[in-house]
Amino acid sequence: MASQKYLDLLKGKQVNPLAYYRGGNHSKATCIYANIVSTQEIKHPTPSRKDAMLTFYVSDPSIPCGSMSVCLFEQDIGKLDFVKEADIIIIQDFRLKLFNGNPQISINRFTKYATFTINPPTLTCNKNYEITSVDEEIINVFEQYLKEHKESSTIDLTIRLPTRRPVLETCEIIDNESKFFDYVGEVLEISIENSRATLSLTDYTLNPLPIRNYVEENIVKKEFIINCTVWDSLANECEDLQPGDYVSLRNCVKKDRNPLEFAIRNNENENKVLLLKIEEDDPRLQKLLERKKNYKMCNLPREFTSVKDIKLEKEPSKFQTQARIVSYKPEDIEKWIRGWCYNCSISSAGGMAYNTNEELKVEAFERSAEDLFFKIPAKS
């Protein structure tokens, strides 16, 4: 097959395939040959970044169902137009860096590169790069592989081509500039109503703006939870989901009123799977499962302590208790006072909690106070 012929040729020329670098080997590399499979929009210079930036994705026979990202910077934005999908690119003297935990090829002013169109191979850009007879031999075999692969491949292109959107964790959403993104998480709760479903999800990273109305049932603290609203025909797909399932969500959009909630909608013009249940052996879940294991280890439930025993304790400590509230004072809850300390910059609230035999004064501070009385403004 042309793929094996190509890989054997690289080995004979002592050239590493793309998979070698995608594994994170070497911070400085020599030369790669790759096919451009996808490009993002060019980002213009900003006050914090003086150069224009282009991110695109490349592949070769060593990763036929995968890709690797390339980040290219240029002062002249017009010099980025040469990157075209389906072209072959040679990149020499590049560097590897980590982006979102994955190796990324970085092209700087010392990097030499050239691109070729196919049928016939035509040089379209050459930045200080001199084409050699070895380059021509490798490109010819590479072109044979691409033709053979195109004719015989039955691979779903939505799997082979990388997403143009970032895959964000909950803790990254609020600070990321992308309006659209992909997300991988564990389902905690499902609510379906008419043409809308609400998924409570976690990836075991912190949510800076946790939802208020989630009732904790010793599953996951609400600080680790985010809500996703699923619309239209996609909501029907949620009927098969159960708490504990893992899902991959594509083309998520932030909600304008709260960037720490998001939604996905079915697009009739987009023939791609937007909501997909995935299994634990899926590589996309590796980091999530590691965080989940650590979370479970750090959040082992404490034994419950009775209100009576808590009151007998003479030294300050932390307890976990269960009690049934049968009454509260004052009875007009809207007259309960929420205070604000300007020195500590925290809010607080106070009240009384009861069980059948004992009573215990309860004071809530900061986020707990906000959650307990979030509809009632603080008063002095």
Side-chain angles (χ1 to χ4, degrees):
M1 295 178 62
S3 59
Q4 190 58 49
K5 181 180 178 181
Y6 177 80
L7 295 175
D8 290 343
L9 176 60
L10 291 187
K11 185 176 181 180
K13 302 297 182 182
Q14 297 183 335
V15 176
N16 292 314
L18 198 59
Y20 176 82
Y21 300 110
R22 195 173 70 159
N25 296 295
H26 293 308
S27 60
K28 184 175 182 180
T30 53
C31 184
I32 63 167
Y33 302 81
N35 177 227
I36 301 172
V37 295
S38 181
T39 63
Q40 291 188 351
E41 293 183 1
I42 297 174
K43 293 185 178 181
H44 291 258
T46 65
S48 60
R49 187 187 66 246
K50 65 178 181 180
D51 293 339
M53 183 180 73
L54 172 65
T55 301
F56 58 97
Y57 299 86
V58 296
S59 183
D60 77 349
S62 67
I63 49 172
C65 298
S67 61
M68 190 170 181
S69 64
V70 181
C71 192
L72 171 61
F73 296 90
E74 284 284 359
Q75 289 183 335
D76 183 358
I77 195 170
K79 292 182 179 180
L80 300 178
D81 291 336
F82 76 91
V83 178
K84 306 294 183 184
E85 291 184 9
D87 284 357
I88 294 175
I89 187 169
I90 304 175
I91 307 176
Q92 186 180 73
D93 296 328
F94 58 89
R95 298 192 67 86
L96 289 182
K97 64 179 183 180
L98 284 179
F99 180 73
N100 287 340
N102 298 312
Q104 182 183 64
I105 297 170
S106 178
I107 298 179
N108 54 39
R109 66 179 185 273
F110 302 108
T111 306
K112 301 176 183 179
Y113 50 83
T115 58
F116 295 83
T117 59
I118 301 176
N119 294 327
T122 305
L123 179 66
T124 57
C125 177
N126 186 340
K127 182 174 180 180
N128 301 323
Y129 191 90
E130 297 181 2
I131 305 300
T132 66
S133 58
V134 173
D135 294 331
E136 294 176 353
E137 183 179 1
I138 292 176
I139 289 173
N140 286 335
V141 178
F142 199 175
E143 182 186 11
Q144 294 175 18
Y145 159 77
L146 293 174
K147 288 181 179 179
E148 181 181 291
H149 188 69
K150 183 178 181 180
E151 293 172 357
S152 62
S153 177
T154 58
I155 296 174
D156 182 357
L157 291 180
T158 62
I159 297 176
R160 180 178 188 274
L161 292 179
T163 175
R164 299 187 183 191
R165 299 171 296 274
V167 180
L168 298 183
E169 298 172 352
T170 300
C171 61
E172 299 173 324
I173 294 175
I174 194 169
D175 294 325
N176 192 280
E177 297 179 355
S178 303
K179 182 177 181 181
F180 296 93
F181 59 95
D182 295 347
Y183 184 85
V184 175
E186 178 181 351
V187 178
L188 300 177
E189 288 186 355
I190 308 143
S191 174
I192 303 177
E193 182 179 357
N194 298 326
S195 60
R196 182 182 70 179
T198 301
L199 301 179
S200 291
L201 305 163
T202 184
D203 62 0
Y204 298 93
T205 66
L206 283 171
N207 183 339
L209 298 175
I211 55 180
R212 296 183 182 277
N213 59 350
Y214 180 77
V215 179
E216 294 184 18
E217 297 179 352
N218 294 326
I219 304 174
V220 175
K221 293 181 179 179
K222 60 186 176 182
E223 287 80 6
F224 291 83
I225 297 171
I226 190 167
N227 272 354
C228 171
T229 306
V230 185
W231 292 94
D232 310 321
S233 60
L234 285 175
N236 298 330
E237 300 182 24
C238 296
E239 294 179 354
D240 297 329
L241 294 176
Q242 300 290 333
D245 287 344
Y246 300 101
V247 291
S248 172
L249 306 176
R250 293 169 54 89
N251 205 26
C252 306
V253 59
K254 299 178 185 179
K255 291 186 177 181
D256 293 336
R257 63 180 178 86
N258 185 355
L260 263 299
E261 294 182 22
F262 61 89
I264 56 173
R265 292 179 180 270
N266 191 29
N267 187 341
E268 296 180 356
N269 298 321
E270 186 174 20
N271 187 23
K272 296 180 180 179
V273 177
L274 301 183
L275 189 157
L276 179 66
K277 179 181 174 181
I278 56 179
E279 303 299 330
E280 287 194 5
D281 58 356
D282 192 296
R284 287 170 287 187
L285 284 172
Q286 181 180 357
K287 293 182 179 179
L288 183 151
L289 293 175
E290 291 176 358
R291 291 194 295 265
K292 180 179 180 179
K293 181 179 179 181
N294 293 332
Y295 177 86
K296 295 296 184 183
M297 292 175 61
C298 295
N299 290 274
L300 294 175
R302 298 189 299 270
E303 293 183 359
F304 292 113
T305 305
S306 69
V307 172
K308 180 179 180 179
D309 289 339
I310 293 175
K311 294 181 67 177
L312 292 175
E313 287 289 339
K314 297 181 179 181
E315 297 295 329
S317 184
K318 290 185 178 181
F319 303 94
Q320 180 170 284
T321 189
Q322 288 182 322
R324 184 166 61 93
I325 299 176
V326 295
S327 180
Y328 55 83
K329 297 179 181 180
E331 293 183 358
D332 185 356
I333 194 171
E334 289 189 357
K335 293 182 179 179
W336 288 23
I337 296 175
R338 276 175 56 198
W340 178 262
C341 177
Y342 291 96
N343 293 327
C344 302
S345 296
I346 62 172
S347 61
S348 63
M352 299 293 292
Y354 298 82
N355 66 13
T356 54
N357 299 317
E358 299 285 341
E359 66 179 45
L360 182 71
K361 181 179 180 181
V362 177
E363 292 187 359
F365 293 90
E366 296 181 276
R367 184 171 290 168
S368 297
E370 297 292 332
D371 291 340
L372 186 60
F373 302 111
F374 67 91
K375 291 184 179 179
I376 305 172
K379 299 178 182 179
S380 59

